[in-house]
Amino acid sequence: MSKTLKPWHKNVIAIGLASGFVEPMESTSLHMVQSSLLRLLKFMPNGQITQASQDMFNQLAEVEAERIRDFIVLHYYLNQRGASKFWQHMRTMPIPESLQQKLDLFRQTGQVIRQQDELFAESSWQQVMLGQGLMPQSYHLLAEQISQQQLDDFFASFKAVISNTLRQS
């Protein structure tokens, strides 16, 4: 994103789609409305408007939009779809540096680091990357501390929880 996202300018504050459009998933738009309103309350607790508050509001809004953008671009960039020109372009397009850093870290270590109050959790990033075929070259050594029996027990209890939930619905 360009460094020009400025939803708060003088006495006007753009909220939701008025401040920008990232992608067509309504959930991110609703999230951005809510987070903008909470951010506004944080930076105007006594009704006073300061330039420092406006600048920080705008900076945080831009970071939030960039993190959401990165998660959406991830889906397109790692796609395994057909050979059409569109999907080929998506796999080879330039991506933001912030997304490249996340991909590099995951590829090399299996880690995903959630930054600030980023909307999407580590597990969401991992699920997309693994689901799109990106496998890490390494993993955390703590994973070796779990015995095969502990792992089997964990997955058996996980399966039981899912089965019980399905029976109740």
Side-chain angles (χ1 to χ4, degrees):
M1 295 204 142
S2 67
K3 298 293 180 192
T4 59
L5 184 63
K6 197 172 180 181
W8 188 348
H9 183 69
K10 297 184 180 182
N11 67 341
V12 176
I13 302 171
I15 302 287
L17 293 176
S19 68
F21 182 75
V22 179
E23 52 80 38
M25 289 176 55
E26 192 63 28
S27 60
T28 59
S29 177
L30 293 172
H31 165 79
M32 291 177 80
V33 168
Q34 180 181 3
S35 65
S36 293
L37 292 173
L38 291 173
R39 202 169 22 254
L40 182 60
L41 290 172
K42 186 185 297 184
F43 289 112
M44 272 186 35
N46 57 4
Q48 293 180 337
I49 298 174
T50 67
Q51 188 61 51
S53 294
Q54 289 180 37
D55 293 345
M56 185 57 69
F57 181 96
N58 289 336
Q59 180 183 344
L60 293 174
E62 184 166 12
V63 168
E64 179 179 48
E66 288 173 349
R67 299 296 176 256
I68 292 171
R69 172 212 57 203
D70 287 356
F71 188 73
I72 301 308
V73 169
L74 174 70
H75 290 76
Y76 289 91
Y77 183 70
L78 291 181
N79 85 82
Q80 303 297 317
R81 298 206 176 199
S84 74
K85 288 182 181 181
F86 174 79
W87 291 112
Q88 286 176 1
H89 172 72
M90 293 296 112
R91 286 189 291 272
T92 59
M93 68 180 168
I95 60 173
E97 184 179 332
S98 52
L99 176 56
Q100 188 64 59
Q101 290 172 340
K102 230 176 191 119
L103 287 168
D104 291 345
L105 180 64
F106 182 77
R107 186 178 287 113
Q108 294 169 20
T109 69
Q111 290 181 295
V112 174
I113 304 300
R114 187 172 186 217
Q115 299 176 356
Q116 297 169 344
D117 294 328
E118 189 172 337
L119 172 58
F120 298 103
E122 292 94 339
S123 59
S124 298
W125 284 89
Q126 291 164 337
Q127 290 167 4
V128 173
M129 288 189 253
L130 291 169
Q132 296 281 24
L134 181 62
M135 300 305 290
Q137 300 164 353
S138 185
Y139 57 90
H140 200 289
L141 292 178
L142 284 177
E144 293 181 359
Q145 301 305 309
I146 301 172
S147 70
Q148 186 61 47
Q149 185 60 51
Q150 289 171 314
L151 196 55
D152 291 344
D153 292 346
F154 171 78
F155 282 114
S157 68
F158 191 63
K159 185 177 178 182
V161 167
I162 291 171
S163 295
N164 287 339
T165 301
L166 290 173
R167 275 195 295 276
Q168 293 174 4
S169 57

